[in-house]
Amino acid sequence: MSGYIARKGPMVFSNLGRWAYNLSGFNQYGLHRDDCLYEDDDVKEAIRRLPRKLYDERNYRILRALHLSMTKTILPKEQWTKYEEDVKYLEPYLNEVVKEREERDDWNKVH
C-alpha cells in the first residue's frame, strides 16, 4: 500500500499544479509564470541581467498580453502556454540576485 502512495504522490502534485496553473489564466495570454512576478528590486535586477534574447522574448509576451487584454480576447487554445513547457527562465538570475543581496546584508551587519 505504501508503494502505491509513494508513486501517486508526485502525480497528485503535478495535477494540482496543472489545475492551479490553468486556473490563473495568464497562460491564455501566452505568458510564463516568471512574466507575472511582482517586480520588486530583486526581480527588477534579475530582469536587467537577462540575456538580450530572453529580455526581448519576455517583452514581446507582455506586450502581446496587454494587447489581448485591451481587446478583451485571448489566444487560440493551441497557442496557450502549456504547464509542461513553461520554463522559469528568470529563476537562475533571481536566485543569484537574492544570494548577492543576502551576502551584502550579512557583510553590512558585521562591518
Side-chain angles (χ1 to χ4, degrees):
M1 180 76 172
S2 64
Y4 175 75
I5 293 171
R7 285 190 307 247
K8 290 294 282 181
M11 180 63 94
V12 170
F13 288 118
S14 178
N15 288 339
L16 181 60
R18 184 177 290 105
W19 175 79
Y21 183 87
N22 289 324
L23 185 65
S24 68
F26 64 81
N27 63 322
Q28 297 174 9
Y29 294 99
L31 293 170
H32 292 242
R33 284 177 285 219
D34 286 355
D35 297 335
C36 302
L37 292 176
Y38 174 75
E39 291 190 20
D40 62 12
D41 291 339
D42 291 340
V43 173
K44 287 178 185 176
E45 178 60 22
I47 292 168
R48 191 188 68 73
R49 294 182 184 191
L50 283 173
R52 187 64 173 185
K53 184 177 188 297
L54 288 177
Y55 183 81
D56 289 344
E57 290 171 353
R58 178 181 194 276
N59 283 337
Y60 173 78
R61 286 191 303 272
I62 291 171
L63 288 173
R64 179 178 59 182
L66 287 170
H67 174 74
L68 290 166
S69 177
M70 288 187 314
T71 58
K72 299 184 186 317
T73 58
I74 59 173
L75 292 171
K77 192 162 187 163
E78 62 272 4
Q79 293 180 25
W80 292 6
T81 305
K82 293 168 187 60
Y83 177 75
E84 300 80 19
E85 296 171 359
D86 193 341
V87 177
K88 293 184 178 182
Y89 65 91
L90 195 58
E91 190 171 285
Y93 302 95
L94 185 56
N95 289 341
E96 182 179 90
V97 168
V98 169
K99 183 179 177 186
E100 289 172 5
R101 180 181 45 78
E102 289 172 347
E103 287 175 1
R104 261 192 322 275
D105 291 347
D106 290 344
W107 192 85
N108 287 333
K109 287 178 188 175
V110 176
H111 295 92

